[in-house]
Amino acid sequence: MSQYGYPQDGQDQQQLQDQQQQQPDAHAAAHHSKRRQYPTQQYNFNAQSPAPNSYLGAPGYGGGPSPQANPAAPGVAAAAAAGSNAVFTPAIANQPGSQGSFPNTQAPVDALANQFGGMGFSNGAAPFGAAPQAAASPYGAANQTYGPGGPAYGAGYGPLGAGSGGGIADTSNISSYGASAGAPVDPNAVPKLPLNKLYNLDLLSYLPPPISDLSLPPPPIILPPNAQLTQSSEANANHEYMRCTLNVIPKNRSLLKKSKLPLALIIRPYNALLNSSENIPVISDTDICRCRACRAYINPFVTFVNQGHRWKCNLCGMTNDVPAKFTYDTVNNVKRDLWARPDLNYGVVDFIAPSGYMVRPPQPPVYVFVLDVSAHSIQNGLLATVARVIKENLDRLPNKDDRCKVAFIGVDSSLYFFNLEADRNEDGTVAEDSDYIPSMLAVSDLDDPFLPLPTGLLVDLTENRKQIDALLDKLGVLFVNNVNTNNALGSALDVAHKLIAPIGGKIICLSSSLPNVGLGKLEAREDRKSLGTSKENALLKTASSFYKDRAIEFNRSQVSVDMFLFSSHYQDVASLSNLPRFTAGQTYFYPGWNASRPEDVVKLAHELGEHLSQELAYEAVLRVRGNRNVRMSGFYGHFFNRSSDLCSFPSFPRDQSYVIEVAIEDNIVQPWISFQAAVLHSTCESERRIRVITISVPTSDLLPDIYASADQLAITAYLTQKACEKALSTGLTEARELVYNRLLEILQTYKKELMTTNVGGSAPIQFCANMRMLPLLVNAIIKHVAFRQSAQIASDLRSSAICLLETLPVPYLIKYLYPDLYSLHDMSDEAGLPNEETGEIVLPQKVNLTGERIASHGLYLIHDGQTMFLWIGRDAVPQLILDAFGLDSKDKLPTGKAEIPETDTPLNLRIRAIISKIREKKDNITWPSLFIVREEGEPSLRHWASTFFVEDKTDQSLTYYQFLTGLRDKLNA
């Protein structure tokens, strides 16, 4: 066994050789790039290189009905002739079932393989896992071949072929639905769907784990042809907006309990910071069609009856009248094609709400900046930097209708207000010779703070722009000699709420010191000796009820809070984060931030600027509905749960997601059920809108169907939320035990209920292919900075990490748990260059997070979405350093937080392009800092970077191999 805990007995290598002989085409498809050599360098080319990626491919989902085999949809005329209860659907032949979130199912197999990281679909011809990498390395790396895949993931629409990928051809359960064209279809009479196949594998035979699985879409949702009204492939919402932990729902509560699998929805209503980056249909009908019983919105999965005059709700079964205007375009005054309506074709739509959905006119965008002006913010340069960043981004604030309002409040041991109202003429217009120097007023009463002026504190951005600019120009100078080290942040929050409570809006706090006076004052309670012990649990709980109690009042007034915290000392993030947590805000933590470092200034400027520019939804509520047989039983994320099923958001952020736990109450008899999430909100353009997200999922009473369609990434998101909840309520040890025991229960159930073959004496860990990454992700949760047992992690770091884990959308969450690792010294020729077709920068192939993949002569990039490390091996040759950084020695390279030197060498340009691509996001504000790490450099920095290798032993945790063998021993006990 190697030092990293993986078996080295030659068995895996033999399997690889056998697989290579079976799949010569996989190696023929490898990229044999021409790379420059450096023969004159004094370098030991016999140094140990990373072990070959010896895992074999795994079988996949497979087994769904082919779209080409779908029967014709019933015709309109035939439906009319069938009587009043006949199903009313458009007479379009060859109507396919829902393709859910599985895109481009009609594409050739090789195109799908390219799209999903070298995976084969349907016919099993392409290898599963990472594509083979070219052997040659210009910087001394030994030959590396990343092994070919095995049986392919089936696309779920046809039987798996028996091609070279090893897919199993099985057409025995592909049956006709028995629906002839023009005949009504009874949904309850549809024969059993050939759902995703269950493929078994041994986890210990697939080491290192195939990390390409982490980029896969969920198992396909397979619905019968009559489930949706039209042929639209987007009838089911894309998994970016809503995904279910189980893409086949158990038909009863006992089966769900028996499976040990969680049933939950992961909802992200917005996937871009700006509306222009999304392509969502907008319906401007003033008469919104909703079920009169359950209040669900009409969607692609309803049924029309009575010759199309009525529609049957797919959630509760109630029959409703079709509005008279439903088939008439009142805007253009013409008859509308019913089947072209967006709400009957798309799983995600926006409705423009009529006045009946408004309690009051839509509120304007309102921003109150609470700025720490104490000596701490002067010393680290925060106040001057923030003033400049806000001024530079005033034009980016949502203000298309000139209704945006702003206010500024300074705080140390007093509260400072600024009169920003311009002088006006008798007719009310702004005087041209108005004095642009704003006046400042101080309030020293911290226990009962008050507003010193009735007007002039909260002003229109457009009308008073010169006064605002003048204040921001002078703000840094105004307090430059301040020596007051106190911070009355709680009192400032209280008075900021009083200022905007009649309107609502957003309070943005920027603080670099612990609130130690006034309302909600806190004390430094962290003791380094308590870290890593049971006493640490108390540090993750709030020390003052002020910040949690105020959340209800703030939420009722439609006021949300965001915290930007910059202290280099203890700041009690655990307490301060409660107000953002329950007002739909976020806590951003910048430990050790200082304006003297350009990297810190750039990070703050980018993140604060993106935060201010995002188009928020105001006065928002989220309600999730399901069929009568299910109930929404748990809600996780940053919001306030106003009632049993209504989540309240004073402002709806665009970079967060939410987990809704689902309970089955009654037996489900339908072949599929639906879930629908609706967000009622006001836009920045003063419109009241409703975003409706709908998915339908098949049901089954067979445990293999449930396991074969489980979404491992969605399950990880659910388990992460449960771990955060447990850590905040009970402790870190209990949080780690919770996720471990849930995984153990799932594996035990799989072994007991689904394993029918004799596994012999090898005692493998058997699991289904579609969930084979779940143990790796659970291991990553346990090792994450939020939960890892360690005496070196400050409580502020843990608390800020928990805040991120509670809100990150699934792609960013998975990356935060299992970071990406790229090998830069031997990346393919196309990596770091624009793709010829898309123009997007091509990223290198990802590498497993284990020290066995790190060569001492190599150059690597690690990133988890929040931080990046550029790792330079101790034996990196001088030519690599020259090509990558333009320096003749790596000793001249800056280490720690820094940007790489810019030079015009091709390798440097490609590395900088890769870093820029990673930082480029349309749906997240984070600008990851870059840390340059030399393997023989500063030990603390090297140790920090090494904790990202979650497959290795870190602190008091096990290697992934040891983690699996421990699970195996418990399963076989």
Side-chain angles (χ1 to χ4, degrees):
M1 181 179 297
S2 74
Q3 59 177 324
Y4 300 104
Y6 291 116
Q8 299 290 329
D9 57 3
Q11 179 180 1
D12 288 340
Q13 183 64 27
Q14 182 62 43
Q15 291 177 347
L16 176 63
Q17 294 174 358
D18 295 341
Q19 187 75 5
Q20 291 172 349
Q21 294 174 2
Q22 295 173 8
Q23 292 187 335
D25 294 339
H27 289 279
H31 299 289
H32 297 286
S33 306
K34 295 182 179 179
R35 297 198 174 106
R36 181 181 176 188
Q37 302 293 332
Y38 299 88
T40 61
Q41 298 299 320
Q42 297 300 320
Y43 176 71
N44 179 14
F45 286 87
N46 294 320
Q48 183 179 1
S49 61
N53 194 355
S54 57
Y55 66 86
L56 303 178
Y61 301 139
S66 171
Q68 285 77 13
N70 289 330
V76 176
S84 61
N85 293 324
V87 178
F88 184 82
T89 53
I92 302 175
N94 200 27
Q95 178 181 348
S98 171
Q99 297 178 9
S101 59
F102 201 75
N104 197 17
T105 57
Q106 303 293 341
V109 173
D110 55 350
L112 284 171
N114 293 333
Q115 183 176 356
F116 293 96
M119 294 184 55
F121 289 81
S122 185
N123 69 353
F128 176 46
Q133 184 167 334
S137 170
Y139 303 111
N143 292 343
Q144 301 179 47
T145 302
Y146 294 88
Y153 260 35
Y157 295 97
L160 285 174
S164 60
I168 304 171
D170 182 4
T171 59
S172 60
N173 64 347
I174 305 296
S175 60
S176 170
Y177 295 110
S180 58
V185 178
D186 180 6
N188 296 321
V190 175
K192 177 176 173 55
L193 279 172
L195 300 174
N196 294 315
K197 296 278 190 166
L198 186 68
Y199 290 95
N200 179 66
L201 52 81
D202 176 18
L203 294 176
L204 288 171
S205 298
Y206 292 88
L207 290 175
I211 56 175
S212 59
D213 280 25
L214 299 178
S215 302
L216 293 175
I221 297 176
I222 302 174
L223 295 172
N226 65 321
Q228 64 189 67
L229 289 171
T230 68
Q231 293 190 83
S232 173
S233 62
E234 299 180 63
N236 250 345
N238 189 281
H239 66 272
E240 292 182 352
Y241 292 94
M242 182 188 293
R243 62 198 300 167
C244 189
T245 55
L246 304 178
N247 280 347
V248 172
I249 306 296
K251 285 200 170 185
N252 53 70
R253 187 191 312 171
S254 61
L255 182 59
L256 177 62
K257 184 178 180 180
K258 179 180 180 180
S259 73
K260 303 299 181 181
L261 294 172
L263 178 56
L265 301 171
I266 288 78
I267 301 172
R268 187 187 185 187
Y270 303 92
N271 71 354
L273 298 178
L274 303 176
N275 285 327
S276 58
S277 300
E278 288 189 301
N279 185 24
I280 302 301
V282 179
I283 302 172
S284 58
D285 290 356
T286 57
D287 190 6
I288 298 178
C289 191
R290 301 180 66 180
C291 176
R292 57 192 174 90
C294 69
R295 305 303 294 160
Y297 297 82
I298 197 167
N299 58 81
F301 301 99
V302 304
T303 305
F304 283 97
V305 296
N306 291 353
Q307 292 78 46
H309 296 296
R310 310 192 78 193
W311 64 278
K312 185 177 181 181
C313 178
N314 55 309
L315 269 66
C316 70
M318 173 66 70
T319 302
N320 305 272
D321 293 330
V322 175
K325 298 179 181 179
F326 198 68
T327 58
Y328 192 79
D329 187 348
T330 56
V331 177
N332 300 313
N333 202 27
V334 294
K335 188 178 172 109
R336 168 182 288 155
D337 180 7
L338 174 67
W339 308 115
R341 284 186 61 92
D343 44 1
L344 300 183
N345 287 273
Y346 296 93
V348 184
V349 294
D350 276 351
F351 291 95
I352 297 180
S355 58
Y357 288 80
M358 304 180 192
V359 178
R360 61 178 182 177
Q363 72 177 64
V366 176
Y367 296 87
V368 179
F369 297 92
V370 176
L371 308 175
D372 182 357
V373 299
S374 68
H376 299 287
S377 290
I378 304 303
Q379 292 169 3
N380 64 11
L382 175 65
L383 182 60
T385 303
V386 165
R388 185 170 69 252
V389 172
I390 293 175
K391 181 182 177 182
E392 291 173 352
N393 288 279
L394 287 177
D395 290 332
R396 300 180 67 192
L397 291 175
N399 191 29
K400 293 182 180 179
D401 53 359
D402 294 332
R403 298 172 70 232
C404 181
K405 298 179 181 292
V406 297
F408 298 87
I409 300 176
V411 56
D412 50 22
S413 61
S414 299
L415 307 179
Y416 302 94
F417 299 86
F418 304 93
N419 185 357
L420 301 173
E421 193 169 28
D423 296 334
R424 296 182 179 273
N425 299 319
E426 294 181 358
D427 59 358
T429 59
V430 177
E432 294 183 1
D433 57 347
S434 175
D435 185 5
Y436 296 136
I437 301 177
S439 58
M440 183 177 72
L441 304 95
V443 173
S444 58
D445 188 351
L446 301 180
D447 295 329
D448 189 16
F450 59 91
L451 299 173
L453 289 175
T455 61
L457 304 179
L458 181 66
V459 298
D460 290 334
L461 173 61
T462 303
E463 292 184 358
N464 303 276
R465 179 62 181 270
K466 293 183 178 180
Q467 282 78 7
I468 296 170
D469 286 343
L471 171 64
L472 294 174
D473 287 336
K474 299 180 182 298
L475 201 55
V477 180
L478 198 59
F479 297 92
V480 67
N481 296 318
N482 193 2
V483 294
N484 192 330
T485 58
N486 292 324
N487 183 356
L489 180 60
S491 300
L493 286 167
D494 207 47
V495 75
H497 172 252
K498 292 179 181 179
L499 180 61
I500 64 173
I503 306 174
K506 180 178 280 289
I507 300 175
I508 300 176
C509 300
L510 300 109
S511 176
S512 59
S513 57
L514 179 72
N516 54 2
V517 294
L519 300 174
K521 64 179 180 181
L522 302 169
E523 296 179 356
R525 57 191 175 118
E526 184 171 74
D527 181 7
R528 302 290 299 183
K529 295 180 180 179
S530 64
L531 300 181
T533 69
S534 59
K535 296 180 180 180
E536 185 180 11
N537 299 335
L539 300 178
L540 301 179
K541 300 178 181 180
T542 180
S544 172
S545 61
F546 171 86
Y547 299 96
K548 190 172 182 179
D549 293 342
R550 285 295 193 275
I552 300 175
E553 186 178 355
F554 279 42
N555 201 286
R556 185 183 298 115
S557 304
Q558 302 296 335
V559 174
S560 66
V561 179
D562 292 302
M563 292 281 185
F564 288 78
L565 306 176
F566 300 86
S567 179
S568 58
H569 303 288
Y570 178 71
Q571 204 167 357
D572 203 347
V573 176
S575 297
L576 297 177
S577 61
N578 276 280
L579 200 49
R581 178 176 285 116
F582 295 105
T583 60
Q586 183 59 285
T587 301
Y588 303 96
F589 187 47
Y590 302 79
W593 186 93
N594 198 291
S596 62
R597 286 191 294 266
E599 297 79 17
D600 284 357
V601 175
V602 171
K603 178 178 176 65
L604 173 59
H606 179 89
E607 294 186 355
L608 182 56
E610 291 296 301
H611 180 75
L612 295 176
S613 66
Q614 64 177 312
E615 296 174 337
L616 298 172
Y618 300 100
E619 300 179 282
V621 290
L622 167 68
R623 176 171 270 130
V624 182
R625 298 177 174 90
N627 283 59
R628 292 177 298 180
N629 317 83
V630 300
R631 173 178 55 88
M632 309 303 133
S633 60
F635 302 84
Y636 302 92
H638 283 193
F639 52 81
F640 181 73
N641 209 353
R642 186 182 296 177
S643 64
S644 60
D645 64 343
L646 189 68
C647 306
S648 175
F649 304 79
S651 62
F652 207 113
R654 287 179 166 264
D655 56 353
Q656 298 185 21
S657 69
Y658 311 93
V659 175
I660 312 296
E661 192 169 7
V662 182
I664 298 177
E665 296 199 314
D666 299 320
N667 292 341
I668 302 173
V669 297
Q670 301 95 327
W672 70 88
I673 65 172
S674 301
F675 298 99
Q676 187 177 86
V679 181
L680 174 63
H681 64 279
S682 298
T683 68
C684 299
E685 289 81 25
S686 305
E687 280 186 341
R688 196 70 171 152
R689 286 194 180 189
I690 310 162
R691 173 155 293 189
V692 178
I693 307 170
T694 308
I695 64 169
S696 288
V697 186
T699 62
S700 176
D701 53 6
L702 299 178
L703 201 57
D705 292 341
I706 313 301
Y707 267 80
S709 295
D711 182 352
Q712 58 188 349
L713 303 189
I715 293 175
T716 302
Y718 169 83
L719 293 178
T720 302
Q721 289 285 358
K722 299 296 287 187
C724 291
E725 180 186 48
K726 181 64 73 172
L728 295 176
S729 62
T730 309
L732 296 173
T733 301
E734 291 76 8
R736 293 190 294 267
E737 291 176 351
L738 182 145
V739 294
Y740 181 84
N741 290 334
R742 291 296 296 267
L743 173 64
L744 184 60
E745 289 175 351
I746 293 172
L747 291 171
Q748 288 173 337
T749 301
Y750 188 85
K751 178 181 179 181
K752 178 182 178 181
E753 304 292 340
L754 299 175
M755 288 305 302
T756 58
T757 59
N758 184 9
V759 298
S762 60
I765 303 181
Q766 301 291 327
F767 209 24
C768 49
N770 55 294
M771 283 202 293
R772 64 172 169 178
M773 302 303 289
L774 185 60
L776 177 69
L777 293 171
V778 167
N779 187 39
I781 294 174
I782 295 172
K783 291 183 176 182
H784 193 267
V785 65
F787 310 111
R788 183 170 69 241
Q789 184 176 1
S790 173
Q792 307 299 321
I793 302 174
S795 61
D796 280 351
L797 286 174
R798 286 197 191 273
S799 297
S800 62
I802 288 175
C803 290
L804 284 175
L805 292 175
E806 290 176 328
T807 57
L808 284 176
V810 171
Y812 294 105
L813 173 67
I814 300 303
K815 194 184 303 294
Y816 194 37
L817 295 173
Y818 190 94
D820 291 336
L821 172 62
Y822 301 116
S823 177
L824 302 180
H825 64 282
D826 59 351
M827 57 183 171
S828 60
D829 288 345
E830 62 270 14
L833 300 175
N835 181 277
E836 294 181 357
E837 297 180 359
T838 64
E840 298 287 333
I841 297 297
V842 178
L843 295 177
Q845 181 180 341
K846 296 177 184 178
V847 184
N848 284 81
L849 284 169
T850 170
E852 290 191 345
R853 293 287 177 246
I854 302 297
S856 62
H857 59 268
L859 179 65
Y860 300 88
L861 182 66
I862 313 168
H863 86 98
D864 67 347
Q866 309 296 318
T867 308
M868 290 189 290
F869 293 96
L870 192 61
W871 180 285
I872 305 167
R874 63 165 59 94
D875 296 324
V877 296
Q879 190 62 47
L880 172 60
I881 304 302
L882 182 64
D883 283 357
F885 309 110
L887 302 173
D888 55 8
S889 173
K890 65 179 177 180
D891 294 333
K892 298 180 180 179
L893 187 65
T895 58
K897 186 183 293 184
E899 294 296 321
I900 67 172
E902 296 186 10
T903 182
D904 59 355
T905 62
L907 182 59
N908 180 271
L909 293 172
R910 293 167 64 193
I911 293 175
R912 285 192 284 120
I914 291 170
I915 293 174
S916 297
K917 174 63 178 177
I918 292 173
R919 287 171 166 168
E920 175 189 323
K921 308 180 189 76
K922 70 169 187 175
D923 57 349
N924 190 274
I925 74 167
T926 305
W927 179 269
S929 296
L930 177 66
F931 291 84
I932 299 178
V933 184
R934 293 209 307 264
E935 187 176 0
E936 74 283 7
E938 184 181 349
S940 60
L941 187 61
R942 185 178 68 251
H943 178 265
W944 181 22
S946 67
T947 60
F948 282 61
F949 294 94
V950 297
E951 294 184 39
D952 292 343
K953 184 178 180 62
T954 57
D955 290 337
Q956 303 180 43
S957 60
L958 304 174
T959 67
Y960 182 54
Y961 175 76
Q962 293 169 337
F963 180 78
L964 287 181
T965 54
L967 285 171
R968 179 192 61 188
D969 294 342
K970 290 195 175 185
L971 288 172
N972 296 323

